[in-house]
Amino acid sequence: HRTIIASTFGFLANSNQERVRLFTPQIRVGSAELDNFKFNPQSSVGSVQLPLTDASPDAFRATIWSHMLNAYDRVANEYRSVQNRLRTQADNEDKAPCFSVLSGSPAETYYEAPLAYTSLTPEEQREWEQRLCRISAAFCKHPQFNEAVASMQVEFSRTHLVNTEGTAIVQNRRSFQVMLQVQTTTDDGMVLPLYQSYFATQLDSLPSEDVMLRDAENLGRRLEALVK
């Protein structure tokens, strides 16, 4: 569940909530000693959206199966490329295995109950809309800025991890991020941006409005000094 709010020069530019379900496979082809991650440790086949309701398990199965097939075809080609590269290069300097598996290690299981709430309340959203408008209004002192934004992104995520070794982990994550960003262009065409961000895992752990206002004013002064 994601909430995005943005204000520019004292006016509300965006405020919406969205909910998505994503399925992300990670497939390793080969063996623990050599697999498709050999030359691409960040090997990824991307994510696909799943239905938002649990009403149709068959829709889940069909989507997951289709994406897994496509992902397998891709990583199988990657693995063949790894094998060909090793055959043609003079020497493989990196002798470490691609995947380390402890023999007989137990599968990990962990479960967190669902969060009691999964988005900002309407009152909280309205309060932050007004707060961000007041903060971004501090940039009105600098009409030469071509970008001046105070924004907030709130995410409540619930992750299910399962693998072929029997591991099953269910975890929750909450994040609250506020970003202040200003940008201007010098007379000779150089683009100058500055940013200030705040991150918390609880809404009440974010700095007060007074702190953010002072930081916004300081950001404006610093950018003007950079221009000069």
Side-chain angles (χ1 to χ4, degrees):
H1 296 254
R2 183 181 297 117
T3 302
I4 298 174
I5 306 171
S7 169
T8 179
F9 290 111
F11 294 93
L12 187 65
N14 184 29
S15 181
N16 63 67
Q17 294 190 7
E18 63 179 4
R19 180 188 173 202
V20 294
R21 268 182 170 172
L22 298 175
F23 168 65
T24 307
Q26 184 184 83
I27 302 176
R28 305 187 77 118
V29 175
S31 66
E33 289 71 31
L34 179 67
D35 66 18
N36 52 294
F37 277 59
K38 175 67 176 178
F39 299 114
N40 185 15
Q42 301 299 323
S43 181
S44 173
V45 291
S47 303
V48 64
Q49 289 197 27
L50 292 175
L52 290 176
T53 68
D54 300 330
S56 178
D58 288 341
F60 271 82
R61 294 189 184 97
T63 303
I64 290 173
W65 179 246
S66 175
H67 199 54
M68 287 288 284
L69 283 179
N70 293 335
Y72 178 81
D73 288 342
R74 174 176 168 179
V75 299
N77 287 330
E78 287 181 0
Y79 179 57
R80 284 190 286 270
S81 297
V82 167
Q83 292 175 307
N84 291 334
R85 182 171 171 179
L86 289 176
R87 290 191 192 100
T88 56
Q89 71 181 30
D91 183 37
N92 176 25
E93 296 180 357
D94 184 4
K95 303 295 184 183
C98 289
F99 194 64
S100 177
V101 180
L102 297 177
S103 177
S105 59
E108 299 292 340
T109 58
Y110 177 77
Y111 177 83
E112 289 182 353
L115 293 168
Y117 63 100
T118 55
S119 64
L120 294 180
T121 66
E123 293 76 17
E124 289 171 333
Q125 188 164 345
R126 282 194 297 272
E127 178 186 342
W128 276 96
E129 289 171 356
Q130 296 166 3
R131 181 178 300 184
L132 293 173
C133 283
R134 290 192 294 268
I135 293 171
S136 71
F139 300 130
C140 292
K141 301 174 184 176
H142 312 280
Q144 71 275 35
F145 292 177
N146 50 39
E147 181 177 305
V149 179
S151 63
M152 181 186 204
Q153 179 165 304
V154 180
E155 285 194 0
F156 291 75
S157 62
R158 183 165 172 81
T159 303
H160 301 251
L161 168 67
V162 295
N163 68 19
T164 52
E165 281 69 53
T167 286
I169 297 173
V170 182
Q171 290 179 298
N172 302 309
R173 183 175 184 269
R174 287 178 293 203
S175 65
F176 303 85
Q177 184 172 19
V178 174
M179 173 79 77
L180 309 180
Q181 53 193 88
V182 288
Q183 178 178 294
T184 191
T185 306
T186 63
D187 292 338
D188 59 358
M190 177 181 287
V191 176
L192 293 176
L194 278 183
Y195 306 93
Q196 171 82 38
S197 64
Y198 317 88
F199 180 87
T201 56
Q202 299 289 339
L203 185 59
D204 57 8
S205 296
L206 287 169
S208 68
E209 181 177 338
D210 288 342
V211 170
M212 292 185 185
L213 275 170
R214 286 197 299 269
D215 288 345
E217 292 169 355
N218 181 52
L219 208 61
R221 288 193 296 268
R222 287 170 54 203
L223 188 57
E224 278 202 349
L226 278 175
V227 172
K228 295 175 182 177

